[in-house]
């Protein structure tokens, strides 16, 4: 009786089935190697934690934060984007703090679309995208991400009558770990501007890159008609702090600020201070975390190749996207793997129709645990 059409439209999560499978495995006495959730297991930089500690003793941080109070974080975000990507933004009109990028996306869609508008949404994609789209009442036009195209969309294949209000992209990509080039974003931004489509780029893995690869920003293609969402959850290991920022097109940022003003205040001032400090830390601090995940990648991928799995070594993110040999039902496989071996993976089907046949490994355990997980999977009864 008290469920709205919006709430009813939000897809159910298969991860509840995975949680139940993990519980059954624990009941059998198995220890769990949980590679299903992409939450960094590393600690935030000590200066960030100290900034928060100090703020909790300052009574001035206990009140509601006003927009003017966000100036230090907005300035820090603009400085980061300038230093890292060469993008110059007006911190007053083109940057807005968020209570996490996931919250930011949901509110941004409410701010820039009307019910019944169309959105170009990748398949596979991060599952909360589907919930945000459902709450906004949007029609999905699917953008297939195919292995033969390096999991990049073919915008030229979008139907002429699609008339999308928004194109949502995410590179380095979750779940596929695919990466994009500056020229790709230039082409995508131009395609959007020709059609009056807002390009939203979700960029939480900006600094989790390996080797010589450095992820570009969609804002390098210009801010007109482009909004990028950044998070401190991955590169600064601040997932529980719930803090990020949106940057880009001033009109879209203003619309987002109006919607958020009706729903929430800004993040706690102490968290904003900590985030501002994090954004100003030397680049090698963020790269240190990337080095940990790269070492884990270098443990997992050869182990998977050793048991005959098809998987490309990712250049970025905190995931490996692997096709499971001789498996067509990724959810059933992931449930059996958890129950029989204690290894919890994310089934590809959870990310969309084109994720079927794959599983996602989150690189959130030390190398020896990743090798042990592969060993268990190799011994699993199919």
């Amino acid at each position: 009786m008290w469920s709205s059409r919006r709430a009813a439209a939000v897809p159910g999560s298969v991860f509840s089935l995975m949680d139940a499978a993990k519980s059954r495995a624990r009941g059998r006495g198995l220890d769990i190697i949980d590679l299903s959730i992409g939450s960094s297991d590393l600690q935030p930089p000590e200066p960030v934690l100290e900034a928060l500690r100090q703020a909790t003793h300052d009574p001035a941080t206990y009140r509601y934060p006003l927009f003017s109070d966000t100036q230090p974080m907005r300035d820090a975000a603009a400085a980061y984007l300038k230093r890292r990507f060469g993008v110059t933004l007006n911190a007053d009109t083109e940057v807005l703090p968020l209570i996490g990028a996931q919250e930011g996306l949901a509110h941004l869609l409410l701010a820039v679309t009307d019910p019944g508008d169309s959105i170009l949404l990748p398949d596979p994609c991060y599952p909360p995208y589907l919930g945000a789209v459902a709450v906004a009442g949007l029609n999905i036009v699917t953008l297939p991400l195919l292995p033969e195209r390096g999991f990049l969309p073919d915008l030229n294949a979008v139907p002429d009558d699609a008339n999308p209000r928004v194109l949502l992209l995410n590179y380095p990509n979750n779940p596929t770990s695919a990466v994009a080039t500056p020229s790709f974003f230039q082409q995508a931004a131009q395609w959007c501007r020709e059609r009056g489509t807002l390009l939203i780029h979700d960029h939480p893995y900006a600094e989790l890159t390996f080797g010589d690869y450095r992820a570009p920003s969609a804002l390098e293609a210009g801010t007109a008609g482009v909004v990028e969402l950044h998070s401190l959850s991955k590169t600064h290991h601040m997932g529980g702090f719930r803090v990020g920022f949106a940057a880009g097109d001033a009109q879209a940022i203003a619309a987002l600020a109006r919607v958020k003003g009706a729903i929430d205040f800004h993040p706690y001032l102490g968290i904003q201070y900590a985030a501002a400090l994090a954004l100003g830390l030397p680049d090698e601090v963020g790269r240190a975390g990337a080095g940990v995940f790269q070492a884990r990648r270098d443990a997992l991928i050869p182990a998977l190749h050793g048991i005959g799995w098809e998987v490309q070594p990712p250049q970025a993110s905190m995931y490996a996207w692997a096709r499971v040999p001789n498996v067509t039902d990724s959810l059933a496989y992931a449930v059996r793997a958890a129950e029989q071996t204690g290894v919890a993976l994310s089934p590809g089907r959870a990310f969309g129709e084109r994720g079927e046949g794959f599983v996602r490994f989150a690189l959130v355990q030390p190398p020896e645990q990743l090798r042990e997980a592969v060993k268990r999977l190799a011994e699993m009864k199919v």
Side-chain angles (χ1 to χ4, degrees):
M1 176 180 179
W2 295 115
S3 177
S4 68
R5 287 192 294 272
R6 286 190 193 88
V10 174
S13 173
V14 301
F15 293 103
S16 59
L17 297 176
M18 292 305 303
D19 285 341
K22 285 184 281 187
S23 294
R24 289 192 292 273
R26 290 189 187 97
R28 296 178 54 227
L30 292 174
D31 65 299
I32 305 300
I33 303 178
D34 197 344
L35 309 178
S36 63
I37 305 298
S39 179
S40 175
D41 60 317
L42 305 184
Q43 180 172 303
E46 182 56 33
V48 173
L49 295 176
E50 183 58 29
L52 181 57
R53 291 188 194 104
Q54 293 298 322
T56 62
H57 296 290
D58 180 1
T61 67
Y62 303 162
R63 57 185 170 80
Y64 292 126
L66 303 176
F67 179 76
S68 59
D69 295 316
T70 69
Q71 188 76 52
M73 185 175 169
R74 286 185 282 114
D75 287 344
Y80 162 76
L81 292 170
K82 177 65 174 178
R83 182 182 76 247
R84 173 65 173 80
F85 302 107
V87 174
T88 300
L89 293 174
N90 184 325
D92 292 331
T93 61
E94 296 178 313
V95 180
L96 187 69
L98 303 172
I99 305 174
Q102 185 167 316
E103 167 271 312
L105 174 63
H107 285 155
L108 180 59
L109 293 181
L110 293 175
V112 300
T113 68
D114 292 311
D117 285 345
S118 293
I119 181 171
L120 288 171
L121 194 67
D123 180 3
C125 73
Y126 179 46
Y129 292 171
L130 299 170
V133 167
V135 170
L138 305 181
N139 297 319
I140 294 175
V141 178
T142 299
L143 268 182
L145 303 185
L146 304 175
E148 56 266 31
R149 290 187 52 85
F151 297 107
L152 293 171
D154 182 4
L155 294 175
N156 294 323
V158 175
D160 292 336
D161 60 354
N163 194 29
R165 179 69 171 172
V166 167
L167 164 62
L168 178 56
L169 297 175
N170 160 224
Y171 293 97
N173 184 257
N174 181 9
T176 69
S177 296
V179 297
T181 62
S183 62
F184 168 80
F185 285 119
Q186 292 283 353
Q187 295 165 10
Q190 181 61 31
W191 188 93
C192 286
R193 289 174 186 136
E194 290 173 355
R195 291 160 177 79
T197 299
L198 179 68
L199 169 56
I200 299 176
H201 181 227
D202 188 22
H203 205 8
Y205 306 99
E207 304 303 339
L208 287 188
T209 60
F210 309 144
D212 295 331
Y213 178 74
R214 298 301 299 275
S217 165
L219 296 172
E220 295 175 47
T223 59
V226 179
V227 174
E228 190 161 80
L229 304 174
H230 284 260
S231 169
L232 283 82
S233 294
K234 312 300 184 182
T235 53
H236 295 88
H237 321 296
M238 298 171 66
F241 291 57
R242 306 315 306 137
V243 63
F245 63 90
D249 187 277
Q251 290 184 348
I253 295 295
L256 174 58
R258 285 195 297 274
V259 168
K260 282 178 61 63
I263 296 172
D264 66 66
F265 283 93
H266 304 284
Y268 165 58
L269 281 171
I271 290 177
Q272 289 191 52
Y273 297 161
L277 188 148
L279 290 168
L281 289 173
D283 288 347
E284 55 264 27
V285 175
R287 300 297 299 159
V292 172
F293 288 108
Q294 181 172 342
R296 294 173 178 183
R297 175 202 69 173
D298 293 344
L300 176 67
I301 301 303
L304 287 172
H305 287 167
I307 64 170
W309 283 43
E310 176 187 336
V311 54
Q312 293 295 319
Q315 290 181 273
S317 86
M318 55 194 298
Y319 308 111
W321 184 241
R323 188 184 295 279
V324 188
N326 305 313
V327 165
T328 58
D329 187 336
S330 59
L331 176 57
Y333 173 83
V335 168
R336 288 200 309 274
E339 291 177 340
Q340 293 182 24
T341 74
V343 176
L345 307 171
S346 293
R349 187 64 181 84
F351 301 93
E353 180 180 340
R354 287 169 179 81
E356 189 55 274
F358 290 82
V359 292
R360 191 194 71 178
F361 291 78
L363 303 174
V364 295
Q365 299 286 346
E368 59 272 17
Q369 284 289 84
L370 294 169
R371 295 189 189 98
E372 172 63 19
V374 175
K375 179 183 176 182
R376 294 187 192 183
L377 292 175
E379 297 170 351
M380 173 180 161
K381 298 177 182 178
V382 179

